[in-house]
Every structure is written in C-alpha cells, then in structure tokens.
C-alpha cells in the first residue's frame, strides 16, 4: 500500500489504515513521516496519561474508564506503552489482553507500543501515534505507561492530564514522594481501596499536597479512591479528568502543553540520532575510555560539529 492510498483510507475512517499508519510512524518509515506531516494538527483529543508502579492496576482502571467513556458517547483510543524486550525490541502485550473485551467495539482502538529503551522513558513514536489518533477523530486517548523511572516524568510532557495510580501497599505513597512524581500528577487515585491501609494513603497524599507548590492556574489535584476490579470510583475519576481539562481551557494552558509535547518529540529524535551515532563511533568511545578525548569532543565529532566541543 502506498502512502497516498493509506491517506485516503485513513481519511475514510478505516481502522486498518490507522493501524498501518502507526506502524509506519513507530518504525521510522519515510512514508510514515510524510503521512504524519500531512495529518498533524487535525482533531482535538483529550490525552490522559495513566502512570504508577507495576501492579497498581492501571490496566484494570483503563478498561473500566473505556467502558465509562463509551457510555458517554466518546470514541476512545488507548496506547499501552510497554517495556521493550531486550532481545526482540517487541512490546509485552499483557495490557491489550486485559482490554480485549472491547475489541469488537468500533469506537475503541487499543494499541501497544514499545518504549524501545528510550532512557527508561517514553519513545518519541508515542507522540507520533497520538497525532495520528487525534487526526482519526478519537475524543479521548488514554496513554498507559509502564510506570517506572523516566516514563512517569515523560508522560506529564505528553498528556493533557496526568493521573498517578497508587495502592494501599506499604511504601507505595512514600516511593511516589521520593520520585518527585507528586509534582507532575494532576489527579491522584488510590486503586484497590478495599485493601487495608487505603485511608492512610489518602491522608498522606492530602497532607503532602497541602505543602506542594501551586500548580499552573491554581489547580488543586484531587485525591480519589477506586476499586477497578469492581468498577467503583470510575465515574468520579473520569469526572476529575474532565474538570482538569476544563481548567486548562479556562486558563489558556492547553497550547503550552501541546508545544511541550512537540518539544519532547524533537528531543526524542535527537536522542535516537545520538544513540545511533554512538553505536557507529566505537573508536571515539574507546578514546574517551582511555582519556585521550573528552566526552564533549567525541560527541561533537559524532554529530559532525567540532564547534560544539569549544
């Protein structure tokens, strides 16, 4: 299929064309880049990032959120960003398996993307996929991250609203405080609230947030509870996301967020170029290891700009 045919099928609403377009964008296919250029900026989706420690129940919550959003008549897409296999580069598809009950619903699109080892964070391909999903006309897009390390910070640069999912498990809230994730989340939800310790975690969160710096526009992040497995707290969680989006609109903060998303995408491309050049420049790397060359000088040569090392 050539890019023109794909564009025509994409514009006609063919979900198979959307899937192919995302594959092209993720793989760096030149036709994918051209397709993205022609489609970028169309649509107006609400992008929600869901992050939190492994085992917090993000996929179960996402599954229930899809159900609630569909009841409200929204077309919904999900990007599940999985850790890449160190051997194959492929994504682990557990998240998609949990949400398979929606696979026959034409108003739902679910796709796993590999993080591709992007310094422990999101890959720039995620932003490209978001642009395609927006252009396809989805009202709401959930981006679920693996929830470890850099990905938690990256998601805040990509999403309009970032939701941090915690559980009553011992130390879960403490780890969030240490990681600095408290500063980037717009909505907090304690999932598996039926387990012991849920109320304590909520009080810890509320106490910590009282001491936190003011958010843009004076937003006060709500702290909610949920039991995803039973569908409890889902309506309130989706309402909180909508309230935050309305806050962004009211205070003119959406455009700044979209610019930050584009900045993240450009930085991701630069990082990928740097990794590629580094793999090709083993002689220069060896000179750095032996103290014969500074890292700055090696980087400047790899990038083909000696002026950078001065």
């Amino acid at each position: 299929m050539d890019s023109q045919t794909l564009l025509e099928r994409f514009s006609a609403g063919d979900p198979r064309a959307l899937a192919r377009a995302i594959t092209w964008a993720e793989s760096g296919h030149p036709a994918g880049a051209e397709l993205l250029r022609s489609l970028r900026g169309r649509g107006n989706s609400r992008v929600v990032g869901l992050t939190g420690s492994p085992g917090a129940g993000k996929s179960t919550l996402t599954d229930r959120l899809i159900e609630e959003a569909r009841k409200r008549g929204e077309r919904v897409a999900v990007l599940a960003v999985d850790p890449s296999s160190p051997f194959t580069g492929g994504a682990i598809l557990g998240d998609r398996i949990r949400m398979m009950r929606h696979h026959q619903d034409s108003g739902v699109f679910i796709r796993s993307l590999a993080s591709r080892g992007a310094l422990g964070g999101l890959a720039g391909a995620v932003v490209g996929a978001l642009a395609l999903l927006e252009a396809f006309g989805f009202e709401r897009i959930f981006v679920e991250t693996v929830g470890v390390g850099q990905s938690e910070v990256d998601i805040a640069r990509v999403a309009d609203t970032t939701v941090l999912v915690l559980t009553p498990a011992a130390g879960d809230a403490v780890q969030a405080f240490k990681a600095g994730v408290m500063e980037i989340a717009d909505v907090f939800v304690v999932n598996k609230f039926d387990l012991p310790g849920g109320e304590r975690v909520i009080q810890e969160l509320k106490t910590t947030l009282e001491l936190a710096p003011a958010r843009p526009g004076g937003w006060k992040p709500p702290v909610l509870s949920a039991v995803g497995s039973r569908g409890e707290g889902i309506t309130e969680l989706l309402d909180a996301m909508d309230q935050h989006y309305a806050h962004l609109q009211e205070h003119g903060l959406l455009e700044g967020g979209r610019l930050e998303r584009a900045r993240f995408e450009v930085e991701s491309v630069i990082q990928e170029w740097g990794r590629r050049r580094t793999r090709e420049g083993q002689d220069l790397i060896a000179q750095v290891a032996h103290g014969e060359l500074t890292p700055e000088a090696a980087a400047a040569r790899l990038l083909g700009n000696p002026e950078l090392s001065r």
Side-chain angles (χ1 to χ4, degrees), residues 18-27 59 62 77-85 89-100 109-116 122-123 125-126 129-130 133 141-146:
L18 169 61
R20 175 68 63 85
I22 292 176
T23 298
W24 281 5
E26 186 183 17
S27 65
S59 295
T62 304
V78 178
L79 286 179
V81 183
D82 294 315
S84 299
S85 160
I92 299 170
L93 302 182
D95 293 322
R96 289 178 70 186
I97 292 169
R98 292 185 186 93
M99 303 174 206
M100 277 302 288
F109 181 89
I110 300 170
R111 175 70 175 249
S112 284
L113 289 182
S115 60
R116 303 273 180 196
L122 301 182
V126 171
L130 282 176
L133 291 170
I141 304 170
F142 294 110
V143 183
E144 182 192 324
T145 78
V146 67

Side-chain angles (χ1 to χ4, degrees), residues 18-76:
L18 169 61
R20 175 68 63 85
I22 292 176
T23 298
W24 281 5
E26 186 183 17
S27 65
H29 193 293
E34 181 60 28
L35 189 69
L36 257 176
R37 189 186 64 78
S38 62
L39 291 170
R40 197 184 296 275
R42 296 189 192 179
N44 187 28
S45 307
R46 301 183 180 199
V47 180
V48 177
L50 290 148
T51 189
S53 59
K58 297 185 296 295
S59 295
T60 303
L61 276 181
T62 304
D63 177 62
R64 295 290 189 173
L65 286 164
I66 294 170
E67 186 177 42
E68 180 63 27
R70 290 297 290 143
K71 287 179 184 176
R72 302 183 185 190
E74 296 179 1
R75 297 178 69 210
V76 183

